[in-house]
Amino acid sequence: MSAGTYPHTRLRRWRASAARRALVREAHLAPQDLLWPVFIQPEEGRSPVATLPGVERLGPQALLEAAAEAVELGIPGLVLFPVIPAADKSEDAAEALNDDGLVPRSIRALKAAQPELLVVTDVALDPYTSHGQDGLLDDAGYVRNDATVNMLARQALVHARAGADIVAPSDMMDGRVGQIRSVLERDRLHNVLILSYAAKYASGFYGPFRDAVGSAANLAGADKYSYQMDPANGAEALREVEQDLAEGADAVMVKPGLPYLDIVQRVKAQFGVPTFVYQVSGEYGMLKAAAAAGMLDERAAVLEALTSMKRAGADAILSYYAPQVARWLREGAA
Ligand code: PBG
């Protein structure tokens, strides 16, 4: 009998008690791994999102309450997604460049109230376009790359000047990271981080998000296949990451999360850079619905899903479950 085989090797020995399991656990999930995506609305108060049970759109005061909650729970930052009133949406997304718009106002209020809390902003035009696409359209309805990139760079500058710690382009245009970096450097905003949604797939899991920000109605059945990645592709994700890093990205994101953990692992292994993963609205919705139907133990399933993201190599996770998970972790592991 050689070493490494039964009975000299019994892999169950390490599983025989909680203390043994804890000692050799490889992946750990903690509140400081989490970023909390929040929907913000201009009106005071809170409004529920029908397709995201437990998630609310937050008015200015409610946003500050969420910020205080995040700090109290040890969550390092919020990611802001604006709900823009229909009257402020347009073909050219001009409201995205408004220095006094909902996002810059919210950034300033957050940084004044909770200076240590990281503020991450979404750089993309879809909340602002009347057609719901992430960019500007040509006459044939195709999203124009370079004209959109020019807008995105200006939008990122508005966010950075208002005090954003991290600007996160989620649009998938080519060349946007380089242009954003250039405008930030030119403005001497050297320490603003760029978190690039480098591998963002044209996913069916974004439905509830589009309801939350109201872009589903604007899209009216249109899709984003001409710019977001084909879910069948893996090698292409590595090219996207390589290019965004070369252009000056400080961190890269894979999105959605659970169906794409192979991509997370490949990105982390190949580049060794800060790698974020987004547990998107549809992933949250699936877990919520299954738990509500009595099919899953919500806490066990959610902690397992997020721990799996850490195991795959994620440094940080965006999740609508962030505050709930932080509370579960504080109460102690199952
Ligand atoms: C769009 C954007 C989307 C999400 C974040 N930013 C949706 C889309 O591409 O249509 C989805 C996030 C989620 O589903 O939780 N810039």
Side-chain angles (χ1 to χ4, degrees), residues 53-75:
V55 173
E56 297 170 315
R57 303 178 188 90
L58 306 176
Q61 188 54 39
L63 175 62
L64 295 183
E65 289 163 18
E69 187 183 353
V71 169
E72 200 267 320
L73 289 168
I75 295 169

PDB file of all heavy atoms in Angstrom, residues 53-75:
ATOM      1  N   PRO A  53     -37.328  40.807  -5.223  1.00  0.00           N
ATOM      2  CA  PRO A  53     -37.896  40.874  -3.879  1.00  0.00           C
ATOM      3  C   PRO A  53     -36.825  41.255  -2.850  1.00  0.00           C
ATOM      4  O   PRO A  53     -35.728  40.690  -2.858  1.00  0.00           O
ATOM      5  CB  PRO A  53     -38.398  39.449  -3.624  1.00  0.00           C
ATOM      6  CG  PRO A  53     -38.415  38.770  -4.954  1.00  0.00           C
ATOM      7  CD  PRO A  53     -37.467  39.487  -5.845  1.00  0.00           C
ATOM      8  N   GLY A  54     -37.150  42.240  -2.019  1.00  0.00           N
ATOM      9  CA  GLY A  54     -36.197  42.656  -0.994  1.00  0.00           C
ATOM     10  C   GLY A  54     -35.280  43.783  -1.437  1.00  0.00           C
ATOM     11  O   GLY A  54     -34.544  44.341  -0.628  1.00  0.00           O
ATOM     12  N   VAL A  55     -35.299  44.131  -2.731  1.00  0.00           N
ATOM     13  CA  VAL A  55     -34.468  45.230  -3.229  1.00  0.00           C
ATOM     14  C   VAL A  55     -35.365  46.437  -3.480  1.00  0.00           C
ATOM     15  O   VAL A  55     -36.458  46.300  -4.030  1.00  0.00           O
ATOM     16  CB  VAL A  55     -33.732  44.844  -4.531  1.00  0.00           C
ATOM     17  CG1 VAL A  55     -33.006  46.049  -5.129  1.00  0.00           C
ATOM     18  CG2 VAL A  55     -32.754  43.704  -4.264  1.00  0.00           C
ATOM     19  N   GLU A  56     -34.885  47.615  -3.038  1.00  0.00           N
ATOM     20  CA  GLU A  56     -35.651  48.840  -3.225  1.00  0.00           C
ATOM     21  C   GLU A  56     -34.817  49.884  -3.959  1.00  0.00           C
ATOM     22  O   GLU A  56     -33.603  49.910  -3.815  1.00  0.00           O
ATOM     23  CB  GLU A  56     -36.052  49.413  -1.861  1.00  0.00           C
ATOM     24  CG  GLU A  56     -36.961  48.519  -1.051  1.00  0.00           C
ATOM     25  CD  GLU A  56     -37.129  49.035   0.379  1.00  0.00           C
ATOM     26  OE1 GLU A  56     -36.118  49.412   1.011  1.00  0.00           O
ATOM     27  OE2 GLU A  56     -38.268  49.067   0.845  1.00  0.00           O
ATOM     28  N   ARG A  57     -35.514  50.715  -4.719  1.00  0.00           N
ATOM     29  CA  ARG A  57     -34.850  51.898  -5.262  1.00  0.00           C
ATOM     30  C   ARG A  57     -34.806  52.920  -4.120  1.00  0.00           C
ATOM     31  O   ARG A  57     -35.809  53.119  -3.431  1.00  0.00           O
ATOM     32  CB  ARG A  57     -35.629  52.467  -6.439  1.00  0.00           C
ATOM     33  CG  ARG A  57     -35.852  51.459  -7.571  1.00  0.00           C
ATOM     34  CD  ARG A  57     -36.692  52.127  -8.674  1.00  0.00           C
ATOM     35  NE  ARG A  57     -37.100  51.175  -9.702  1.00  0.00           N
ATOM     36  CZ  ARG A  57     -38.236  50.456  -9.653  1.00  0.00           C
ATOM     37  NH1 ARG A  57     -39.065  50.577  -8.638  1.00  0.00           N
ATOM     38  NH2 ARG A  57     -38.526  49.626 -10.618  1.00  0.00           N
ATOM     39  N   LEU A  58     -33.665  53.559  -3.942  1.00  0.00           N
ATOM     40  CA  LEU A  58     -33.469  54.413  -2.768  1.00  0.00           C
ATOM     41  C   LEU A  58     -33.461  55.887  -3.139  1.00  0.00           C
ATOM     42  O   LEU A  58     -32.730  56.305  -4.045  1.00  0.00           O
ATOM     43  CB  LEU A  58     -32.146  54.060  -2.084  1.00  0.00           C
ATOM     44  CG  LEU A  58     -31.941  52.581  -1.712  1.00  0.00           C
ATOM     45  CD1 LEU A  58     -30.537  52.367  -1.139  1.00  0.00           C
ATOM     46  CD2 LEU A  58     -33.005  52.124  -0.717  1.00  0.00           C
ATOM     47  N   GLY A  59     -34.239  56.666  -2.427  1.00  0.00           N
ATOM     48  CA  GLY A  59     -34.176  58.117  -2.557  1.00  0.00           C
ATOM     49  C   GLY A  59     -32.958  58.641  -1.808  1.00  0.00           C
ATOM     50  O   GLY A  59     -32.256  57.873  -1.145  1.00  0.00           O
ATOM     51  N   PRO A  60     -32.711  59.980  -1.892  1.00  0.00           N
ATOM     52  CA  PRO A  60     -31.478  60.548  -1.311  1.00  0.00           C
ATOM     53  C   PRO A  60     -31.258  60.206   0.164  1.00  0.00           C
ATOM     54  O   PRO A  60     -30.147  59.825   0.557  1.00  0.00           O
ATOM     55  CB  PRO A  60     -31.660  62.051  -1.524  1.00  0.00           C
ATOM     56  CG  PRO A  60     -32.532  62.137  -2.758  1.00  0.00           C
ATOM     57  CD  PRO A  60     -33.464  60.972  -2.683  1.00  0.00           C
ATOM     58  N   GLN A  61     -32.311  60.332   0.978  1.00  0.00           N
ATOM     59  CA  GLN A  61     -32.136  60.036   2.402  1.00  0.00           C
ATOM     60  C   GLN A  61     -31.943  58.541   2.640  1.00  0.00           C
ATOM     61  O   GLN A  61     -31.083  58.129   3.432  1.00  0.00           O
ATOM     62  CB  GLN A  61     -33.361  60.557   3.193  1.00  0.00           C
ATOM     63  CG  GLN A  61     -33.216  60.483   4.699  1.00  0.00           C
ATOM     64  CD  GLN A  61     -31.957  61.186   5.198  1.00  0.00           C
ATOM     65  OE1 GLN A  61     -31.580  62.246   4.686  1.00  0.00           O
ATOM     66  NE2 GLN A  61     -31.268  60.584   6.167  1.00  0.00           N
ATOM     67  N   ALA A  62     -32.709  57.725   1.926  1.00  0.00           N
ATOM     68  CA  ALA A  62     -32.585  56.265   2.071  1.00  0.00           C
ATOM     69  C   ALA A  62     -31.195  55.799   1.636  1.00  0.00           C
ATOM     70  O   ALA A  62     -30.642  54.840   2.200  1.00  0.00           O
ATOM     71  CB  ALA A  62     -33.667  55.564   1.252  1.00  0.00           C
ATOM     72  N   LEU A  63     -30.616  56.483   0.657  1.00  0.00           N
ATOM     73  CA  LEU A  63     -29.253  56.119   0.203  1.00  0.00           C
ATOM     74  C   LEU A  63     -28.245  56.341   1.331  1.00  0.00           C
ATOM     75  O   LEU A  63     -27.363  55.504   1.561  1.00  0.00           O
ATOM     76  CB  LEU A  63     -28.869  56.951  -1.032  1.00  0.00           C
ATOM     77  CG  LEU A  63     -27.438  56.755  -1.544  1.00  0.00           C
ATOM     78  CD1 LEU A  63     -27.195  55.309  -1.983  1.00  0.00           C
ATOM     79  CD2 LEU A  63     -27.147  57.723  -2.695  1.00  0.00           C
ATOM     80  N   LEU A  64     -28.413  57.452   2.047  1.00  0.00           N
ATOM     81  CA  LEU A  64     -27.492  57.714   3.162  1.00  0.00           C
ATOM     82  C   LEU A  64     -27.684  56.686   4.279  1.00  0.00           C
ATOM     83  O   LEU A  64     -26.719  56.299   4.953  1.00  0.00           O
ATOM     84  CB  LEU A  64     -27.676  59.136   3.691  1.00  0.00           C
ATOM     85  CG  LEU A  64     -27.307  60.248   2.699  1.00  0.00           C
ATOM     86  CD1 LEU A  64     -27.463  61.615   3.354  1.00  0.00           C
ATOM     87  CD2 LEU A  64     -25.875  60.081   2.170  1.00  0.00           C
ATOM     88  N   GLU A  65     -28.925  56.237   4.451  1.00  0.00           N
ATOM     89  CA  GLU A  65     -29.169  55.185   5.453  1.00  0.00           C
ATOM     90  C   GLU A  65     -28.489  53.884   5.032  1.00  0.00           C
ATOM     91  O   GLU A  65     -27.891  53.189   5.851  1.00  0.00           O
ATOM     92  CB  GLU A  65     -30.686  54.974   5.627  1.00  0.00           C
ATOM     93  CG  GLU A  65     -31.371  56.135   6.349  1.00  0.00           C
ATOM     94  CD  GLU A  65     -32.898  56.151   6.183  1.00  0.00           C
ATOM     95  OE1 GLU A  65     -33.475  55.104   5.810  1.00  0.00           O
ATOM     96  OE2 GLU A  65     -33.500  57.215   6.429  1.00  0.00           O
ATOM     97  N   ALA A  66     -28.568  53.567   3.739  1.00  0.00           N
ATOM     98  CA  ALA A  66     -27.900  52.361   3.242  1.00  0.00           C
ATOM     99  C   ALA A  66     -26.384  52.473   3.428  1.00  0.00           C
ATOM    100  O   ALA A  66     -25.705  51.495   3.770  1.00  0.00           O
ATOM    101  CB  ALA A  66     -28.237  52.136   1.772  1.00  0.00           C
ATOM    102  N   ALA A  67     -25.856  53.671   3.202  1.00  0.00           N
ATOM    103  CA  ALA A  67     -24.419  53.889   3.350  1.00  0.00           C
ATOM    104  C   ALA A  67     -23.989  53.649   4.800  1.00  0.00           C
ATOM    105  O   ALA A  67     -22.969  52.993   5.061  1.00  0.00           O
ATOM    106  CB  ALA A  67     -24.049  55.309   2.916  1.00  0.00           C
ATOM    107  N   ALA A  68     -24.790  54.157   5.724  1.00  0.00           N
ATOM    108  CA  ALA A  68     -24.471  53.953   7.144  1.00  0.00           C
ATOM    109  C   ALA A  68     -24.547  52.460   7.488  1.00  0.00           C
ATOM    110  O   ALA A  68     -23.712  51.938   8.244  1.00  0.00           O
ATOM    111  CB  ALA A  68     -25.438  54.757   8.019  1.00  0.00           C
ATOM    112  N   GLU A  69     -25.524  51.782   6.905  1.00  0.00           N
ATOM    113  CA  GLU A  69     -25.674  50.346   7.142  1.00  0.00           C
ATOM    114  C   GLU A  69     -24.452  49.586   6.603  1.00  0.00           C
ATOM    115  O   GLU A  69     -23.925  48.685   7.265  1.00  0.00           O
ATOM    116  CB  GLU A  69     -26.956  49.861   6.445  1.00  0.00           C
ATOM    117  CG  GLU A  69     -27.333  48.426   6.754  1.00  0.00           C
ATOM    118  CD  GLU A  69     -28.580  47.972   5.971  1.00  0.00           C
ATOM    119  OE1 GLU A  69     -29.213  48.810   5.295  1.00  0.00           O
ATOM    120  OE2 GLU A  69     -28.887  46.772   6.034  1.00  0.00           O
ATOM    121  N   ALA A  70     -24.007  49.970   5.404  1.00  0.00           N
ATOM    122  CA  ALA A  70     -22.837  49.313   4.803  1.00  0.00           C
ATOM    123  C   ALA A  70     -21.616  49.479   5.714  1.00  0.00           C
ATOM    124  O   ALA A  70     -20.877  48.516   5.966  1.00  0.00           O
ATOM    125  CB  ALA A  70     -22.562  49.894   3.412  1.00  0.00           C
ATOM    126  N   VAL A  71     -21.405  50.698   6.196  1.00  0.00           N
ATOM    127  CA  VAL A  71     -20.252  50.964   7.068  1.00  0.00           C
ATOM    128  C   VAL A  71     -20.357  50.116   8.331  1.00  0.00           C
ATOM    129  O   VAL A  71     -19.389  49.469   8.749  1.00  0.00           O
ATOM    130  CB  VAL A  71     -20.174  52.470   7.416  1.00  0.00           C
ATOM    131  CG1 VAL A  71     -19.170  52.724   8.529  1.00  0.00           C
ATOM    132  CG2 VAL A  71     -19.804  53.268   6.165  1.00  0.00           C
ATOM    133  N   GLU A  72     -21.558  50.087   8.875  1.00  0.00           N
ATOM    134  CA  GLU A  72     -21.770  49.337  10.120  1.00  0.00           C
ATOM    135  C   GLU A  72     -21.518  47.841   9.913  1.00  0.00           C
ATOM    136  O   GLU A  72     -21.017  47.144  10.790  1.00  0.00           O
ATOM    137  CB  GLU A  72     -23.203  49.600  10.603  1.00  0.00           C
ATOM    138  CG  GLU A  72     -23.450  49.325  12.066  1.00  0.00           C
ATOM    139  CD  GLU A  72     -23.953  47.909  12.288  1.00  0.00           C
ATOM    140  OE1 GLU A  72     -24.775  47.439  11.480  1.00  0.00           O
ATOM    141  OE2 GLU A  72     -23.502  47.265  13.257  1.00  0.00           O
ATOM    142  N   LEU A  73     -21.839  47.344   8.721  1.00  0.00           N
ATOM    143  CA  LEU A  73     -21.695  45.911   8.430  1.00  0.00           C
ATOM    144  C   LEU A  73     -20.304  45.539   7.908  1.00  0.00           C
ATOM    145  O   LEU A  73     -20.028  44.368   7.672  1.00  0.00           O
ATOM    146  CB  LEU A  73     -22.750  45.484   7.395  1.00  0.00           C
ATOM    147  CG  LEU A  73     -24.195  45.435   7.881  1.00  0.00           C
ATOM    148  CD1 LEU A  73     -25.159  45.283   6.696  1.00  0.00           C
ATOM    149  CD2 LEU A  73     -24.382  44.280   8.868  1.00  0.00           C
ATOM    150  N   GLY A  74     -19.453  46.533   7.680  1.00  0.00           N
ATOM    151  CA  GLY A  74     -18.108  46.239   7.183  1.00  0.00           C
ATOM    152  C   GLY A  74     -18.041  46.002   5.677  1.00  0.00           C
ATOM    153  O   GLY A  74     -17.075  45.429   5.176  1.00  0.00           O
ATOM    154  N   ILE A  75     -19.069  46.466   4.961  1.00  0.00           N
ATOM    155  CA  ILE A  75     -19.055  46.382   3.492  1.00  0.00           C
ATOM    156  C   ILE A  75     -18.286  47.595   2.962  1.00  0.00           C
ATOM    157  O   ILE A  75     -18.618  48.726   3.305  1.00  0.00           O
ATOM    158  CB  ILE A  75     -20.505  46.374   2.945  1.00  0.00           C
ATOM    159  CG1 ILE A  75     -21.215  45.092   3.403  1.00  0.00           C
ATOM    160  CG2 ILE A  75     -20.530  46.517   1.431  1.00  0.00           C
ATOM    161  CD1 ILE A  75     -22.718  45.102   3.154  1.00  0.00           C
TER     162      ILE A  75
END
